[in-house]
Amino acid sequence: MKINIKKLSIAAIFCAVAVVGSLFSFPVLGSKCAPVQHMVNIMCAVLLGPGYGLGAAFTASLIRNLLGLGSLMAFPGSMFGAVLCGIIYAKTKNILATLIGEVFGTAVLGGLCAYPVAIFLMGKSAADIAFYAYIVPFLISTAGGAVISAVIIYSLKKSGVLAGMQKTLNR
């Protein structure tokens, strides 16, 4: 197994961006919505791949929780979207499908998995609202991040920079 130091370094930078970006969050129905995390997930998918995206999402969620900047919902709210959009981009190289994969992975899969997380780790009172109250906030957060990343990725693609970045990282 080969470790790509360039990819690892970029993943660490994206992780830092996600942690700092969580300061720019807003509450929606009991959840902190942080669209920067979802932008980072998509950027990782396009530049680094699903493994690095999952690692960056997990590490950012862990750091956010340790610093008190996020809730336990940061884990399902970031990791499912990171993996799904990473896999979709690796298989299709389609940016629109990748954006949709992030939104579906985070809003639906992450939102549904927030329910058991709320039951086991946050107590039954939090779980009473989790099933209904996390899919919509996750959808709002991930849709915002998808729009931000779409603007960045399509701009990089149009200018020809995206291909150069991908080529450099995949050496």
Side-chain angles (χ1 to χ4, degrees), residues 132-164:
Y132 304 103
Y134 286 114
I135 292 177
V136 171
F138 285 2
L139 177 65
I140 294 167
S141 183
T142 191
V147 168
I148 294 168
S149 62
V151 169
I152 294 169
I153 291 170
Y154 283 116
S155 296
L156 290 173
K157 187 175 181 178
K158 185 176 181 181
S159 67
V161 174
L162 182 62

Side-chain angles (χ1 to χ4, degrees):
M1 187 168 118
K2 180 183 167 194
I3 296 175
N4 187 328
I5 298 300
K6 288 180 186 178
K7 283 188 173 185
L8 191 59
S9 300
I10 298 298
I13 291 168
F14 279 139
C15 178
V17 168
V19 171
V20 172
S22 69
L23 295 172
F24 307 105
S25 65
F26 52 93
V28 176
L29 301 174
S31 174
K32 281 186 177 180
C33 294
V36 174
Q37 175 66 59
H38 307 291
M39 177 212 55
V40 166
N41 286 352
I42 295 167
M43 296 300 295
C44 282
V46 171
L47 293 174
L48 306 175
Y52 287 97
L54 175 63
F58 174 80
T59 305
S61 296
L62 182 63
I63 292 170
R64 287 171 55 200
N65 273 273
L66 291 173
L67 294 175
L69 299 174
S71 71
L72 292 174
M73 298 303 120
F75 291 100
S78 65
M79 293 171 58
F80 283 95
V83 168
L84 188 60
C85 74
I87 291 170
I88 289 171
Y89 189 79
K91 298 290 183 189
T92 68
K93 303 295 186 221
N94 184 318
I95 295 171
L96 182 60
T98 304
L99 298 170
I100 293 168
E102 167 65 24
V103 172
F104 179 80
T106 298
V108 177
L109 300 178
L112 290 175
C113 288
Y115 182 70
V117 169
I119 289 174
F120 296 122
L121 299 177
M122 297 175 72
K124 183 66 176 149
S125 62
D128 292 338
I129 63 163
F131 184 75
Y132 304 103
Y134 286 114
I135 292 177
V136 171
F138 285 2
L139 177 65
I140 294 167
S141 183
T142 191
V147 168
I148 294 168
S149 62
V151 169
I152 294 169
I153 291 170
Y154 283 116
S155 296
L156 290 173
K157 187 175 181 178
K158 185 176 181 181
S159 67
V161 174
L162 182 62
M165 292 170 76
Q166 289 171 325
K167 183 178 178 183
T168 299
L169 289 170
N170 290 320
R171 286 184 188 179

